[in-house]
Amino acid sequence: MENWIKIIIIISTILILWGRIIGGKRFQYLVEFWNIHRYFIYKSGYTIPLFNPLNILMFLLRVILISIFISIYILPKAFSEFPLNNFYIISGLTSTYIGLKFLIEKILSVIMNYNELLREIIRYRIGFKNLIAVHLYFYLLLITFNPISSNLIILISIILFINYLLFSSFYVFKKTMNKTYKNIIYFILYLCTFEIVPVFLLFWFAIKF
């Protein structure tokens, strides 16, 4: 394993420990998959805001871990011959994509007049993405310190991604959406556009090339 990967993993470990300290019980409910609902409203009358220190830390962790995975297993040397520079570029692109997606969602929510609903959906999605970031940390530890073929890692990752996507999407839809035909269509279009297509394009590129 290259030294820069070890350093990035150490930084990720520090972010998780820092998140555990500032998150308190919220972080405990986050890592307990069966108690994920307690992360959003972890005590009576209090709902977590969208932007808080824990969510910001977990956003940084998510960008770092996703970028490591992409730069090692999907797009190695795609943007630079130097792996660390490739990681930096992918981190920038990942951050830009997340920011643009959030901006587009906000614009659409204003145009279509569902800003409050979007805020509630984003709150749940952030919680699940924070949970996925913690699990991704341990998943990366497992695959980087063990001799596993890249093809097998990609296959396992696709299966895990589908499971997380189905569970989190069902949970968010159940908690926030009215079960009308129109809302179901909108929700499916959103998943296909912003969640499924970008990820499967990456996996397709990794398998193809």
Side-chain angles (χ1 to χ4, degrees):
M1 180 188 299
E2 298 186 36
N3 289 331
W4 72 270
I5 298 178
K6 296 177 182 178
I7 294 173
I8 297 299
I9 289 177
I10 291 173
I11 293 173
S12 301
T13 304
I14 293 173
L15 288 176
I16 288 181
L17 293 175
W18 193 1
R20 177 64 181 90
I21 293 171
I22 67 175
K25 287 186 177 181
R26 279 182 295 164
F27 193 88
Q28 174 185 333
Y29 296 136
L30 179 67
V31 297
E32 293 176 353
F33 195 77
W34 55 93
N35 274 332
I36 185 64
H37 61 284
R38 299 284 303 272
Y39 175 76
F40 310 113
I41 305 176
Y42 72 99
K43 62 182 180 181
S44 178
Y46 184 84
T47 303
I48 63 170
L50 295 181
F51 298 102
N52 60 64
L54 178 59
N55 284 343
I56 293 172
L57 279 179
M58 299 306 290
F59 168 78
L60 293 175
L61 178 68
R62 192 161 78 246
V63 169
I64 289 172
L65 295 177
I66 291 173
S67 301
I68 290 178
F69 181 83
I70 294 175
S71 61
I72 295 176
Y73 298 105
I74 298 181
L75 300 174
K77 300 182 179 180
F79 303 101
S80 173
E81 289 295 321
F82 300 98
L84 183 56
N85 291 341
N86 193 55
F87 167 78
Y88 287 147
I89 295 172
I90 291 173
S91 297
L93 292 174
T94 301
S95 302
T96 301
Y97 168 74
I98 295 174
L100 286 175
K101 186 175 76 166
F102 179 79
L103 182 60
I104 292 171
E105 289 173 348
K106 291 295 289 183
I107 293 173
L108 290 176
S109 71
V110 173
I111 293 174
M112 302 179 69
N113 195 29
Y114 64 92
N115 195 40
E116 290 301 319
L117 175 61
L118 177 66
R119 178 180 292 273
E120 190 66 17
I121 291 173
I122 290 176
R123 182 177 288 116
Y124 282 109
R125 280 181 32 232
I126 287 176
F128 275 108
K129 290 182 185 299
N130 291 348
L131 170 67
I132 292 172
V134 175
H135 289 179
L136 181 58
Y137 168 78
F138 291 104
Y139 179 61
L140 281 174
L141 287 181
L142 178 65
I143 63 179
T144 53
F145 286 99
N146 290 279
I148 305 174
S149 69
S150 295
N151 289 337
L152 180 58
I153 288 173
I154 292 173
L155 176 61
I156 294 173
S157 301
I158 291 174
I159 295 173
L160 290 175
F161 168 75
I162 292 174
N163 281 305
Y164 274 112
L165 180 65
L166 289 176
F167 178 81
S168 61
S169 299
F170 176 77
Y171 186 96
V172 172
F173 183 81
K174 183 179 178 181
K175 289 290 185 180
T176 61
M177 303 291 285
N178 294 323
K179 311 311 189 285
T180 63
Y181 180 78
K182 181 179 178 181
N183 283 338
I184 292 174
I185 295 298
Y186 282 158
F187 198 72
I188 292 174
L189 288 175
Y190 165 81
L191 288 179
C192 292
T193 304
F194 291 108
E195 302 289 347
I196 297 175
V197 172
V199 173
F200 273 96
L201 282 176
L202 283 174
F203 284 128
W204 174 83
F205 187 90
I207 295 172
K208 187 76 174 177
F209 301 99

